[in-house]
Amino acid sequence: PTIESDRELDEKLESVSMEYNYLLASQLETQRVFYEEQINKVNSVYREELSRCEAQVQELGKDRAIKAEQIRVLDVEKRVLERKLQASHEKGTGLTKELGFLKEVNASLIENQKDWQEMKKRMEEAVAGKDARIQEMKKRMEEAVAGKDARIQE
């Protein structure tokens, strides 16, 4: 081994080393481009999915707001209906009490009517008896007057 052959060997080693470095750099660049493309694809899919999710979140937020408003309106309607139900219940209770009172009054009026009818019947009988007596007295007076007139004419 001579110096020249050492130099040739060094040059060959350097040439192989440079070619290896070039191939390695080239391969690394190709891999870098490939993985950047993969990352970009993943980022693109991620951004699309994120946009879709954000749109879905916005839609769900709108739906939630609509549902919350519907619940609020239904809650107000429920309170109004509960007040109406309570008022109807109280009115029904009042009407039931009034019905009981009116039934008592009606029963009392029916009883009073019977009493008045009996009293009317007795009075009518009394009046009829007095009318008969008056008629009898009139007849007697007429007879007495007629007898007196007949005596006066004799």
Side-chain angles (χ1 to χ4, degrees):
T2 62
I3 293 185
E4 208 168 290
S5 70
D6 280 345
R7 201 182 286 192
E8 281 180 26
L9 187 63
D10 281 343
E11 284 177 14
K12 281 187 181 183
L13 278 174
E14 193 174 323
S15 171
V16 167
S17 176
M18 282 177 57
E19 191 173 329
Y20 174 78
N21 284 338
Y22 173 78
L23 286 173
L24 182 62
S26 172
Q27 184 66 28
L28 287 173
E29 180 65 21
T30 302
Q31 287 179 357
R32 184 187 63 78
V33 167
F34 172 78
Y35 285 113
E36 282 180 355
E37 287 175 0
Q38 294 299 313
I39 288 172
N40 287 338
K41 286 179 185 176
V42 167
N43 280 339
S44 176
V45 168
Y46 168 76
R47 280 192 290 278
E48 288 174 10
E49 185 67 20
L50 181 62
S51 293
R52 189 185 64 73
C53 288
E54 286 173 345
Q56 191 174 15
V57 165
Q58 286 180 346
E59 189 65 31
L60 290 172
K62 289 176 186 176
D63 286 348
R64 189 194 73 61
I66 290 169
K67 298 295 184 211
E69 179 62 18
Q70 288 173 341
I71 288 171
R72 188 192 66 75
V73 167
L74 290 173
D75 206 30
V76 168
E77 288 177 9
K78 177 186 168 203
R79 279 188 242 122
V80 166
L81 291 174
E82 284 174 343
R83 282 192 294 261
K84 285 182 179 179
L85 176 63
Q86 182 63 29
S88 294
H89 180 68
E90 289 170 3
K91 187 175 183 178
T93 301
L95 290 173
T96 301
K97 287 179 182 177
E98 186 177 348
L99 176 63
F101 171 74
L102 290 175
K103 283 183 178 181
E104 289 177 16
V105 168
N106 190 40
S108 177
L109 288 174
I110 289 171
E111 189 63 35
N112 287 343
Q113 183 180 19
K114 289 178 185 176
D115 292 345
W116 282 103
Q117 285 173 344
E118 284 181 30
M119 192 184 306
K120 177 186 170 197
K121 186 178 178 183
R122 284 191 305 247
M123 289 180 134
E124 285 174 346
E125 289 172 356
V127 167
K130 287 183 181 185
D131 281 347
R133 194 161 175 217
I134 289 173
Q135 289 300 325
E136 185 182 320
M137 289 175 110
K138 273 185 177 182
K139 190 176 179 184
R140 280 187 192 170
M141 270 179 78
E142 287 174 0
E143 288 174 357
V145 168
K148 191 176 181 188
D149 282 345
R151 279 190 242 152
I152 292 180
Q153 288 183 344
E154 290 177 5

